[in-house]
Amino acid sequence: MEEDTINLDPTDESSQSSVSQSHRLTRIAAYSFVLLSIFAVGPVAAQESVVCNADRLPSMIEGFIQLSTGLGIVGLALVWQADSLLEMFTLNPEQKKGFKRHKRSALKSAIVLLALGPLYTVAGSVMGLPLADCVNLVPW
């Protein structure tokens, strides 16, 4: 019987070919996305905003953003306190490092959560997005 083996040698021609092919496909997809977004956004942006013309939709979107941001901040506080409590009763240094990493990642998530609304509001008004004109996404 003959066994199939996988050659993981980086100097192998077939693996270099497949890597360059995947890079080429990724590059083509990125260029296609950029071109499509440039030419397809123009006609959509020229239309009347359906979101702004709806009765209570802008206030519902604002309420959802404020609610999700508030719950995210409460979640950060709970995770931070739980990690701090568990860190105090842990003797293993590796577990303490894990809790500190978890606290840092929770803090990064909260910062992103707080920054996305204002960032979208500023970037949306600069780019002329219709949602940014009628919906206030700043959670405070």
Side-chain angles (χ1 to χ4, degrees), residues 17 22-24 40-41 50 73 76 81 83 90 108 116 126 128 130 134 137:
S17 167
S22 68
H23 286 296
R24 189 176 307 126
V41 169
V50 176
I73 297 302
L76 166 73
Q81 290 300 318
D83 282 346
T90 302
K108 287 177 188 176
L116 279 181
V126 168
C134 62
L137 297 178

Side-chain angles (χ1 to χ4, degrees), residues 23 26 37 44 58 63 65 88 102:
H23 286 296
T26 305
S37 65
V44 172
I65 295 297
M88 283 192 301
H102 191 250

Side-chain angles (χ1 to χ4, degrees), residues 1-139:
M1 273 194 187
E2 193 175 303
E3 291 185 23
D4 291 334
T5 59
I6 298 174
N7 188 2
L8 298 176
D9 185 16
T11 59
D12 186 23
E13 230 175 84
S14 64
S15 66
Q16 287 180 350
S17 167
S18 66
V19 169
S20 68
Q21 182 71 16
S22 68
H23 286 296
R24 189 176 307 126
L25 288 175
T26 305
R27 210 175 311 130
I28 289 171
Y31 288 142
S32 300
F33 177 75
V34 168
L35 288 174
L36 181 66
S37 65
I38 288 172
F39 293 113
V41 169
V44 172
Q47 297 174 359
E48 271 304 305
S49 175
V50 176
V51 174
C52 293
N53 291 336
D55 288 337
R56 293 180 297 177
L57 190 58
S59 62
M60 286 174 53
I61 293 172
E62 289 174 7
F64 174 75
I65 295 297
Q66 290 174 352
L67 180 67
S68 61
T69 303
L71 288 175
I73 297 302
V74 168
L76 166 73
L78 289 174
V79 166
W80 191 276
Q81 290 300 318
D83 282 346
S84 296
L85 181 67
L86 291 172
E87 190 178 349
M88 283 192 301
F89 294 111
T90 302
L91 298 176
N92 188 352
E94 289 299 318
Q95 286 181 335
K96 285 186 179 191
K97 287 180 186 177
F99 288 131
K100 286 185 181 185
R101 273 195 309 268
H102 191 250
K103 284 171 33 176
R104 274 195 305 269
S105 69
L107 185 61
K108 287 177 188 176
S109 298
I111 290 171
V112 167
L113 184 66
L114 287 173
L116 279 181
L119 183 67
Y120 180 79
T121 302
V122 171
S125 63
V126 168
M127 293 171 32
L129 297 176
L131 185 65
D133 293 333
C134 62
V135 177
N136 181 16
L137 297 178
V138 180

